[in-house]
Amino acid sequence: MSMRLFGALCAALSLSFTPLLAQEQQVNYHLSFPNAVHHEAQISVTFTGIKSDTLQVLMPRSSPGRYALHEFAKNVYSVKATDGKGKQLQVSRPNPHQWDVSGHQGEITLSYTLFGAHADGTYTGIDETHAHLNMPATLMYALGFEKAPARVTFRIPEGSNWKVATQLRPLNDSTFTAPDFQYLMDSPTELSNFEFAEWTVQDHGKSKTIQVAMHHHGNKAQFDEYVAKTKQIVAEQQGVFGELPDFDFDRYTFIACYGPQAIGDGMEHRNSTIVSSSRPLGSATTALLGTVSHEFFHAWNVERLRPATLEPFDFQRANMTEALWLAEGFTSYYGALTMYRLGFNDVRNVARDLNYVLLTPGRHYHNLVEMSLQAPFVDAARSVDPHNRHNTFISYYTYGSMLGLGLDLTLRRDFNTTLDAYMQALWQRYGKTEKPYTMADLERTLTEVTKDTAWAADFFRRQVYGSELPDYAALLAEAGLQLRKAEPGKASLGAANFEFSKQGAKLVNGTYVTSPLYKAGLNRGDILLTLNGKKVTSEKELQKIMSKLKPAHSVPITYRSSEMAPIMSTQIVLEEMPELMIEHFENAGKELTPAMKQFRQAWLGTKIK
């Protein structure tokens, strides 16, 4: 999640360099890419107006929009320092992500090589076609210079035709400025020969510019379709809140990178988002626009409407908050809802997320608040040891999204109001004013929207601090949508991924504690040899065996924990295939009443006026 710029900072966005602080302390970066083909950048940074005997220079360990540690210093090498006269200075290394320099006479230039080969929303990716820069993964910073203005100059490779897309303020085609360290770290930048489009949106008499800068391998028609649909997404979400945020410089930029060199991701920032995928335009346009929809909603929710526990963002530790169910979860709900309202996706797709939340056991271990606090362990975090999160964790993105669905439909059915109204109320009080909210603020605002203190308190107690879920079947029926078993009467072993061979079917994932496989004693790495007396050597053979069995049947199995382990035998009690599906009443032979049709239209109809 990107940094808030506090009210006092907004006045500094003119970036006038006349104040005393700006005269005393400045930061100047230069980036060049002479060895881009091998994923390297050459970077130098000059710190002017140093107040201490020893300058402590650091590489960030975390990044806006992420909650886990990433240790970006691992990609930094060949570090050198000189003073203002070019004299070489000694650099010491007190810890893995810090460099200390002394003997500087008030100015130091630090130079280093950066390796970057992972183009997504968190890391940096450099090659001969582009430089895709997430600033915390790219730029060092110095303690004591957090409030100093920064200037960044990009040296474009000769003959490359690269341009610069960023939310930083341009001084010219190659030099850009940020008012302080926080804004600089929040400003991802793409350098490439990207395709570009922009348009103007009128917002309460004020003109705001929306831009799309895309590095991709598609064609012009595909790019134009993407831009046209992005315009609709912007307008639809503007309709939810009734206005756009006040973007700094009245400009918002979608920075997109689609191609084999990219990693699937999306990351929100104050006045921009960076979206990436290895999937191409054309065949994957709808999926890519789903990410666009999610990230743009963050321009309100998270970028300005922010939990107090994320303030201030600390670049040297994991950042966490108990409110990710709203910050990320409700954003996921509205990202999908926008696509439904525009007709880009079908609301029946919500069954996938409902299946995940309803059928996996994580709610028995943690509530939504506790799921949010797990973020430093799951949000692009990396580990080498096996874990049990398939049992103990449900993503706050999806769990929070389904909470949003339930709350939206409940507000419409029982209170003649909507989740849109709740988000608008939060926006006016805490987002537009950029006053960080607490959990108590969220409950208090729900009370104001519903005019029912007891109900709001009960909702938070049961569904936020507790693990209860609403009756989704009854709520969806209000809109003439039926939630039912997708394959009633079909037997199942439970969710499992098998790797088949002549020896048998090896479980490549952990089993759910609620599944027949778990209850029979099988887990990751075990090899299922026979089921009901028949060998299991292929997916086709397993399906053939299962087709002759029924739910609740107890059948014999044999298995072993490894290829050399002894054969074990036990009984497994099959379950009915639990997966759910959603279908329209009119397609299920059920009556769609005028009230249901009206409810559905009010919920899923476009908000574009």
Side-chain angles (χ1 to χ4, degrees):
M1 276 145 222
S2 330
M3 303 300 89
R4 286 181 69 253
L5 261 66
F6 297 97
L9 177 60
C10 295
L13 288 175
S14 63
L15 295 178
S16 168
F17 287 83
T18 56
L20 179 62
L21 179 63
Q23 290 177 338
E24 291 181 344
Q25 289 190 315
Q26 293 185 28
V27 185
N28 287 278
Y29 294 90
H30 286 79
L31 291 82
S32 61
F33 309 92
N35 198 25
V37 69
H38 291 297
H39 313 295
E40 286 185 342
Q42 297 300 319
I43 301 174
S44 69
V45 51
T46 300
F47 300 98
T48 304
I50 301 169
K51 304 296 184 182
S52 58
D53 293 336
T54 299
L55 184 68
Q56 297 173 303
V57 183
L58 298 96
M59 197 69 186
R61 305 179 69 202
S62 57
S63 181
R66 290 294 185 208
Y67 311 98
L69 291 176
H70 298 286
E71 306 297 3
F72 298 120
K74 64 183 177 292
N75 289 322
V76 170
Y77 43 93
S78 300
V79 179
K80 299 180 178 63
T82 58
D83 64 12
K85 297 180 180 179
K87 177 186 174 183
Q88 193 85 16
L89 300 175
Q90 186 171 351
V91 180
S92 60
R93 194 83 178 268
N95 59 60
H97 47 272
Q98 181 173 328
W99 293 260
D100 288 354
V101 188
S102 56
H104 47 73
Q105 303 300 313
E107 180 176 298
I108 288 174
T109 296
L110 201 75
S111 64
Y112 58 97
T113 300
L114 177 78
F115 180 84
H118 195 88
D120 69 355
T122 306
Y123 295 91
T124 283
I126 301 163
D127 60 35
E128 67 275 19
T129 70
H130 76 147
H132 175 105
L133 310 176
N134 181 43
M135 292 310 182
T138 305
L139 301 181
M140 292 185 177
Y141 68 100
L143 295 183
F145 279 76
E146 290 84 356
K147 297 299 181 183
R151 181 176 297 200
V152 185
T153 298
F154 301 101
R155 295 173 180 168
I156 305 301
E158 187 175 350
S160 67
N161 295 321
W162 286 7
K163 306 179 288 291
V164 181
T166 182
Q167 70 175 30
L168 294 168
R169 184 178 182 181
L171 291 181
N172 53 50
D173 289 344
S174 61
T175 300
F176 299 79
T177 58
D180 68 357
F181 163 70
Q182 294 271 333
Y183 193 89
L184 176 65
M185 289 291 108
D186 191 41
S187 301
T189 301
E190 167 74 19
L191 287 77
S192 63
N193 188 21
F194 52 75
E195 201 157 1
F196 183 78
E198 67 178 7
W199 64 96
T200 300
V201 177
Q202 294 301 317
D203 187 37
H204 296 289
K206 192 172 185 179
S207 295
K208 297 177 180 179
T209 300
I210 311 294
Q211 301 176 328
V212 175
M214 184 189 297
H215 176 222
H216 71 117
H217 299 290
N219 57 47
K220 184 66 163 58
Q222 292 167 343
F223 175 75
D224 290 344
E225 178 192 4
Y226 180 101
V227 170
K229 290 184 174 180
T230 298
K231 287 182 181 180
Q232 291 179 267
I233 289 170
V234 170
E236 189 66 47
Q237 294 185 359
Q238 182 182 8
V240 170
F241 288 97
E243 62 184 350
L244 292 172
D246 282 333
F247 302 123
D248 304 316
F249 323 124
D250 296 323
R251 168 171 53 88
Y252 185 93
T253 306
F254 292 96
I255 303 171
C257 182
Y258 301 135
Q261 76 283 5
I263 312 297
D265 201 3
M267 191 58 60
E268 71 278 4
H269 298 274
R270 183 172 172 87
N271 304 299
S272 65
T273 182
I274 194 156
V275 289
S276 57
S277 178
S278 60
R279 303 173 69 185
L281 281 182
S283 62
T285 296
T286 299
L288 300 177
L289 287 169
T291 304
V292 166
S293 181
H294 176 100
E295 299 306 329
F296 189 62
F297 198 82
H298 272 315
W300 293 269
N301 191 27
V302 170
E303 287 307 318
R304 291 158 177 86
L305 178 61
R306 285 180 67 77
T309 39
L310 277 182
E311 297 298 328
F313 192 89
D314 189 332
F315 287 87
Q316 291 300 315
R317 65 171 179 85
N319 293 260
M320 69 180 189
T321 174
E322 70 279 78
L324 290 183
W325 57 271
L326 185 137
E328 293 290 356
F330 279 24
T331 298
S332 292
Y333 173 66
Y334 272 100
L337 183 61
T338 300
M339 299 292 281
Y340 303 148
R341 285 174 169 173
L342 291 171
F344 297 164
N345 263 334
D346 193 301
V347 70
R348 291 175 296 178
N349 290 343
V350 80
R352 178 193 61 188
D353 291 341
L354 276 175
N355 278 318
Y356 173 48
V357 174
L358 290 170
L359 303 181
T360 54
R363 290 184 297 113
H364 301 298
Y365 295 87
H366 301 293
N367 61 32
L368 258 176
V369 168
E370 292 163 342
M371 294 297 182
S372 296
L373 297 175
Q374 294 291 307
F377 304 123
V378 300
D379 187 56
R382 300 172 185 269
S383 60
V384 295
D385 56 320
H387 55 75
N388 197 32
R389 293 197 175 278
H390 57 282
N391 277 318
T392 63
F393 179 73
I394 298 176
S395 170
Y396 41 81
Y397 284 85
T398 314
Y399 195 172
S401 176
M402 293 303 94
L403 179 76
L405 169 67
L407 180 57
D408 195 2
L409 297 181
T410 300
L411 292 174
R412 292 172 184 275
R413 182 189 66 183
D414 298 343
F415 294 97
N416 194 32
T417 187
T418 67
L419 193 64
D420 292 356
Y422 180 54
M423 296 306 295
Q424 290 166 12
L426 289 174
W427 169 250
Q428 291 298 324
R429 178 164 293 183
Y430 303 106
K432 196 170 182 177
T433 61
E434 302 202 39
K435 175 186 175 183
Y437 62 77
T438 65
M439 293 287 285
D441 294 329
L442 298 180
E443 182 177 330
R444 188 179 305 111
T445 305
L446 187 59
T447 294
E448 293 170 358
V449 170
T450 60
K451 299 179 175 59
D452 192 328
T453 302
W455 184 88
D458 189 62
F459 169 80
F460 269 80
R461 180 177 63 83
R462 291 176 181 270
Q463 298 189 39
V464 178
Y465 297 110
S467 297
E468 294 186 27
L469 292 174
D471 184 345
Y472 286 106
L475 289 171
L476 289 167
E478 295 287 328
L481 297 169
Q482 182 181 27
L483 180 66
R484 66 169 179 84
K485 288 282 184 72
E487 298 182 272
K490 185 175 181 179
S492 170
L493 295 170
N497 290 323
F498 289 108
E499 184 179 273
F500 294 93
S501 69
K502 292 181 180 179
Q503 284 72 40
K506 183 177 181 179
L507 276 164
V508 296
N509 63 290
T511 51
Y512 289 133
V513 297
T514 51
S515 73
L517 285 166
Y518 185 97
K519 292 173 183 177
L522 277 73
N523 214 321
R524 180 191 293 111
D526 290 342
I527 303 170
L528 180 63
L529 304 175
T530 65
L531 174 63
N532 202 27
K534 296 179 174 59
K535 290 184 177 181
V536 183
T537 57
S538 69
E539 177 70 28
K540 183 178 180 181
E541 186 63 27
L542 177 59
Q543 291 177 355
K544 182 179 177 181
I545 298 169
M546 292 296 297
S547 68
K548 297 178 181 179
L549 301 173
K550 297 294 182 183
H553 276 183
S554 178
V555 297
I557 63 170
T558 61
Y559 69 99
R560 58 187 359 154
S561 60
S562 69
E563 293 182 7
M564 303 301 293
I567 295 176
M568 308 285 287
S569 62
T570 189
Q571 294 286 121
I572 186 168
V573 180
L574 305 177
E575 68 177 3
E576 184 179 37
M577 187 74 74
E579 281 73 19
L580 305 169
M581 65 173 288
I582 293 173
E583 60 183 344
H584 293 85
F585 270 26
E586 57 268 37
N587 296 332
K590 303 183 73 171
E591 180 187 4
L592 178 68
T593 67
M596 292 174 184
K597 190 174 182 179
Q598 183 179 7
F599 189 101
R600 186 192 296 177
Q601 177 60 31
W603 173 37
L604 298 177
T606 180
K607 305 304 171 188
I608 299 175
K609 296 180 180 180

